[in-house]
Amino acid sequence: MAHEQQFLSTVYARLEELRGEAEDTVRASLAQLGTGRQARVERDVRTFERSAHLAALNAVESGLCFGRLDFQDGTVRHIGRIGIRAADAELTPLLVDWRAPVARPFYLATGYEPMGLRRRRHISSHERTVTALHDEVLDLRDTGRTGYEDHDADSVLLAAVSAARTGRMADIVQTIQAEQDRIIRAPRQGVLVVEGGPGTGKTAVALHRAAYLLYAEREQLARRAVLIVGPNPAFLGYIGEVLPSLGETGVLLSTLGELFPGVHATGVEPPAVAEVKGRAAMAAVLEQVVRDRQLLPETIPDAPGADHEAQGTLPEPALLVDHEQYGTLRLHREMAYEARDRARATGLPHNLARPHFAFRIIDALTAELVDRLGADPYGGPNLLGPDDAAQIGKEIATSADVHAAIDELWPQLTPEQVVADFLADPEGYLTEDDALLLRREGGPWTPADVPLLDETAELLGVDDSAERAAQEAARQERIAYAQGVLDLSAGSETYEFEDEESEVLAAHDVIDAERMAERQEEADHRSAAERAAADRTWAFGHIIVDEAQELSPMAWRLLMRRCPTRSMTLVGDLAQTAERSGAGSWQQILGPYVGDRWTHARLGVNYRTPAEIMALAAAARRATHPDFEPPRSVRSTGVEPWRERVAADGVAAAVAAAVRRETPDEGRLAVIAPPDLHALLTAADPALAGGAVDLTRRVVLLDPRAAKGLEFDAVVLVEPGRFDDSDLYVAMTRATQRLGLIHTGELPAGLRAERGSE
């Protein structure tokens, strides 16, 4: 152990050197900014404080070195969270990154296939002190012993899965199993579906896969970024420390409700409403909603006081447009119809097609006005020439009233405006029942609204011509200013030389105005992940989706747009599908986008849930799905789940007593109850009170949907008979040690005790 402690001291000393180098580099770049740009310097100081490199070095400190490989040829390699080279830049690294090919035997070697290893050592440490060593002898011909051998090869794994929970997911970099390693290191191209029951490590594997891909394809993924989509904010908080602990900070973590920049969807709505919004048919509905905003003139009299009844004529469909110079213009229905057809024929989104519509309307009004003003009373050719017609066209094009008429027929729209108007009045687009469900006046956006907003944004497009024109004007202004500086510099040169040409270079000899202006532009110091979060059209290099079975068809349309290369890792469990709009099969999700060109991997070992709890959860699941087969639990605690039946008015007191009894000295307890009971339970027990879910608290109160993907040392399940089979299965499989059930009525089939435990 002394040798490993000495080595660890060397590694941490080098880590401190790297920290100092990172700080010096950023400080030097700040100094180059100069003192005249205080706001920019302050912003870059904040960038320095959250510098990706420095943050990564800080995050990996805990358990920096966790393994050692002794090869049969005498080579020794230490394995760590990141790779570190010695200060003299020698060829052999001081610490090998766990993702490097040479580190694979740490996860895959066995006595049957030692992969060139003599022994494998697991190193446990607290802060910077080695606390335990565990050696596995892989070459049985080696008779040498260190005293740290352990015949139980799974002792390190069992110690990790049995450890008290902290409210934050821990990485599994020290205990990655062979089946997990193969998934983590699978090629990035294409769609990989990772399926497995509760506790099989799907999420941990997906996060380590993100870290591996960022290591293996750093150049591309650092530029395009990786997106990780989680089911709720509490889950993102739970997994938020895993990637930093592996040295990766440039990943965007987001819920579906946060994937439309400028909108933070916090609203809550009934599952039936979310199901309607999530249907694939909503894409066609929204397309029709947008097309219906492309109007034609209604029937309007030709002129005030026209007596069509007396004349036996019908009013002409036209829009009357007042023009300050030419009087009343008639925008005929035929004009608008032809302009609309031409604009639609471009195939451009609504807002981008609008200029085409406007040009056709202006041309049509100009032609009509030229015909009217230049008409020869004697039937001769038009009296106005091309220059006259061009002048009239300019005056029509600059008329505020003409543009107001164009806006009325083909308005500039925003996604928020279109979706809000649709939800306020969905009749005519849906069935009567569905329209009644969706009808909503105002209120906050919900997660199910975000795919609708994104779909609408695709249908509308963004006409950024004005913004681009302004940027170009600003650029030309900077170039003109730079040229003035160069001209001034040239005019001030008064060097005099006799009989030889000057060899002194002036400023205009080494730089032109355009390049000089570019140097004055402010650089974008945001990371790729930060830029991606603000850009709806960003194309990610890879997307990881957790609880993928829960996403609706409309949500998948959004995500597929974010990843045109279809480089994705989807993790989930169809047996845990709870949302009405969730998937019935992976092919149902992926078929419309990649056909059958996707890969499926299954994780079959449960590392979280003890066998006693898993057996009861499987029995409850089999009551409705007789063929269900649960994942195999790797451990047994000998503690059976308990059940307690109470009177209807005794639920709160029973839960409060269970919280006092079951809360572990170390670790976390979750009370999982129907949402309508939360107020009652928090009133009876202040330990359950709180606003947003804080998983670092000793006790938290959740409903089954909010508990997805989380784990706790102990769980108290309240009124399990009120959950559907999927929610019940999720809730029962969150515990790593103990599970209790408190109920007032009969338990669901499969949960009833066979012997007197109620």
Side-chain angles (χ1 to χ4, degrees):
M1 189 175 291
H3 174 271
E4 297 297 0
Q5 183 62 61
Q6 182 180 4
F7 175 78
L8 208 62
S9 299
T10 302
V11 171
Y12 277 109
R14 177 58 180 150
L15 182 69
E16 292 302 329
E17 292 178 13
L18 292 173
R19 281 178 174 152
E21 292 171 8
E23 291 179 1
D24 291 345
T25 299
V26 179
R27 291 186 189 280
S29 66
L30 292 178
Q32 293 177 2
L33 293 174
T35 58
R37 305 175 190 164
Q38 187 62 32
R40 182 175 170 186
V41 170
E42 290 175 355
R43 188 191 67 192
D44 279 42
V45 167
R46 293 194 296 273
T47 301
F48 162 71
E49 291 173 347
R50 62 176 189 271
S51 163
H53 188 196
L54 193 59
L57 293 174
N58 290 333
V60 299
E61 178 169 340
S62 177
L64 176 59
C65 175
F66 57 81
R68 174 175 140 177
L69 299 177
D70 291 10
F71 289 87
Q72 294 170 0
D73 63 1
T75 302
V76 175
R77 293 284 185 270
H78 282 84
I79 311 300
R81 296 177 180 279
I82 60 172
I84 295 180
R85 290 194 174 275
D88 57 5
E90 61 185 18
L91 184 62
T92 302
L94 185 65
L95 193 64
V96 174
D97 193 299
W98 67 275
R99 297 164 289 191
V102 72
R104 287 206 79 180
F106 187 79
Y107 302 109
L108 299 182
T110 64
Y112 180 76
E113 183 57 58
M115 299 179 70
L117 288 186
R118 184 169 57 87
R119 72 176 57 238
R120 170 172 50 208
R121 167 169 288 181
H122 292 267
I123 303 172
S124 300
S125 60
H126 177 68
E127 295 181 347
R128 301 189 177 196
T129 302
V130 176
T131 57
L133 301 178
H134 172 95
D135 284 349
E136 296 176 63
V137 178
L138 299 174
D139 184 356
L140 299 181
R141 297 170 299 178
D142 182 4
T143 58
R145 294 295 180 263
T146 63
Y148 299 110
E149 289 80 12
D150 190 335
H151 296 294
D152 184 0
D154 292 329
S155 60
V156 175
L157 170 64
L158 293 176
V161 299
S162 301
R165 268 43 191 175
T166 65
R168 293 287 181 264
M169 176 182 276
D171 64 68
I172 59 170
V173 66
Q174 189 172 356
T175 58
I176 293 172
Q177 302 300 292
E179 67 170 358
Q180 297 172 329
D181 183 80
R182 284 188 285 272
I183 294 172
I184 289 169
R185 297 174 190 263
R188 178 177 67 88
Q189 290 72 22
V191 178
L192 172 64
V193 174
V194 182
E195 187 170 13
T200 54
K202 302 182 298 296
T203 299
V205 166
L207 294 173
H208 287 68
R209 175 164 168 75
Y212 172 76
L213 292 177
L214 284 164
Y215 171 85
E217 302 190 36
R218 175 75 62 190
E219 182 177 351
Q220 181 170 353
L221 291 183
R223 185 174 64 252
R224 300 308 311 165
V226 173
L227 169 66
I228 297 178
V229 180
N232 53 59
F235 176 83
L236 295 184
Y238 176 63
I239 68 171
E241 296 179 2
V242 174
L243 284 169
S245 75
L246 300 175
E248 300 297 344
T249 57
V251 176
L252 177 61
L253 275 65
S254 177
T255 64
L256 181 67
E258 297 167 328
L259 285 178
F260 193 87
V263 169
H264 190 62
T266 58
V268 178
E269 61 193 355
V273 176
E275 187 274 329
V276 174
K277 292 178 179 179
R279 294 175 187 168
M282 288 301 298
V285 168
L286 291 171
E287 183 178 4
Q288 188 58 50
V289 169
V290 171
R291 288 175 70 87
D292 286 348
R293 300 298 292 270
Q294 300 163 2
L295 304 176
L296 297 175
E298 297 296 332
T299 300
I300 298 176
D302 289 326
D307 189 354
H308 288 279
E309 184 176 352
Q311 299 172 9
T313 61
L314 294 174
E316 179 187 9
L319 182 61
L320 303 183
V321 182
D322 291 329
H323 192 282
E324 59 183 11
Q325 182 175 352
Y326 299 115
T328 300
L329 307 177
R330 287 182 180 82
L331 203 169
H332 298 281
R333 188 180 183 89
E334 290 76 10
M335 294 180 184
Y337 187 87
E338 190 269 344
R340 188 179 70 175
D341 274 4
R342 290 291 188 92
R344 287 178 174 177
T346 64
L348 294 171
H350 174 91
N351 287 336
L352 298 182
R354 183 180 180 278
H356 295 269
F357 177 81
F359 293 152
R360 297 298 300 178
I361 292 297
I362 291 169
D363 286 348
L365 288 175
T366 299
E368 183 183 56
L369 191 56
V370 167
D371 287 344
R372 176 156 58 91
L373 296 180
D376 185 345
Y378 301 105
N382 195 290
L383 300 177
L384 298 179
D387 292 342
D388 298 319
Q391 181 60 36
I392 291 174
K394 290 180 181 179
E395 291 165 352
I396 294 294
T398 57
S399 168
D401 289 323
V402 170
H403 282 282
I406 292 171
D407 288 340
E408 184 177 337
L409 298 178
W410 195 296
Q412 185 87 12
L413 299 172
T414 67
E416 293 88 340
Q417 174 188 0
V418 172
V419 175
D421 289 347
F422 164 67
L423 294 177
D425 186 17
E427 286 77 9
Y429 297 101
L430 305 168
T431 66
E432 185 176 343
D433 290 342
D434 289 345
L436 185 61
L437 276 174
L438 255 60
R439 188 177 184 87
R440 182 185 79 196
E441 295 282 354
W445 296 110
T446 70
D449 290 331
V450 168
L452 303 185
L453 291 166
D454 196 76
E455 187 76 28
T456 306
E458 288 292 306
L459 294 168
L460 296 179
V462 178
D463 183 4
D464 61 351
S465 56
E467 180 181 352
R468 285 187 284 108
Q471 291 174 348
E472 179 60 22
R475 191 178 78 89
Q476 293 299 330
E477 185 177 346
R478 288 194 298 272
I479 292 174
Y481 178 80
Q483 187 63 56
V485 171
L486 292 176
D487 292 345
L488 183 62
S489 172
S492 64
E493 294 163 6
T494 57
Y495 303 110
E496 294 182 0
F497 295 87
E498 294 182 0
D499 301 326
E500 62 178 327
E501 294 183 358
S502 170
E503 295 184 358
V504 178
L505 293 177
H508 55 76
D509 293 320
V510 295
I511 190 171
D512 58 23
E514 186 169 356
R515 184 169 300 179
M516 184 176 180
E518 288 175 356
R519 291 187 176 182
Q520 302 306 310
E521 293 181 11
E522 215 170 291
D524 189 345
H525 292 275
R526 295 176 300 171
S527 68
E530 290 171 322
R531 295 197 306 274
D535 184 354
R536 191 196 65 82
T537 62
W538 188 274
F540 289 92
H542 193 77
I543 292 181
I544 292 174
V545 184
D546 203 292
E547 302 293 347
Q549 76 280 354
E550 301 291 4
L551 297 190
S552 70
M554 287 298 291
W556 284 113
R557 288 177 64 88
L558 180 155
L559 290 177
M560 292 297 174
R561 282 193 288 268
R562 298 293 198 277
C563 192
T565 61
R566 305 293 189 258
S567 176
M568 295 177 140
T569 301
L570 314 181
V571 299
D573 179 13
L574 296 176
Q576 298 184 62
T577 303
E579 298 294 339
R580 296 190 184 187
S581 57
S585 70
W586 299 114
Q587 183 61 35
Q588 178 186 344
I589 292 173
L590 297 172
Y593 305 102
V594 297
D596 59 357
R597 300 183 304 278
W598 53 277
T599 305
H600 183 268
R602 177 174 287 278
L603 296 170
V605 179
N606 186 334
Y607 301 99
R608 175 205 302 148
T609 316
E612 294 81 1
I613 297 177
M614 198 66 225
L616 188 63
R621 183 70 178 170
R622 288 196 186 101
T624 53
H625 297 76
D627 297 332
F628 173 71
E629 286 298 327
R632 175 179 60 85
S633 295
V634 298
R635 64 193 175 99
S636 174
T637 61
V639 180
E640 295 289 339
W642 54 267
R643 307 164 181 82
E644 181 181 357
R645 186 168 184 172
V646 300
D649 60 354
V651 171
V655 171
V659 169
R660 292 191 295 272
R661 183 178 69 249
E662 297 291 327
T663 302
D665 294 334
E666 295 183 5
R668 301 294 182 270
L669 167 73
V671 176
I672 303 179
D676 62 303
L677 291 182
H678 286 199
L680 174 68
L681 299 179
T682 55
D685 187 350
L688 298 176
V693 176
D694 180 1
L695 297 176
T696 62
R697 295 177 56 188
R698 295 285 304 283
V699 181
V700 294
L701 176 61
L702 303 166
D703 62 64
R705 304 291 174 90
K708 271 185 173 292
L710 308 181
E711 58 184 15
F712 305 90
D713 298 86
V715 170
V716 175
L717 191 56
V718 183
E719 295 289 26
R722 293 183 51 189
F723 302 144
D724 64 32
D725 58 346
S726 176
D727 284 345
L728 180 60
Y729 182 58
V730 169
M732 292 184 67
T733 53
R734 300 305 97 193
T736 65
Q737 301 293 338
R738 292 176 57 82
L739 171 67
L741 285 67
I742 296 177
H743 57 105
T744 58
E746 283 291 327
L747 286 170
L751 294 185
R752 296 160 194 161
E754 296 179 1
R755 48 190 182 274
S757 58
E758 288 194 51

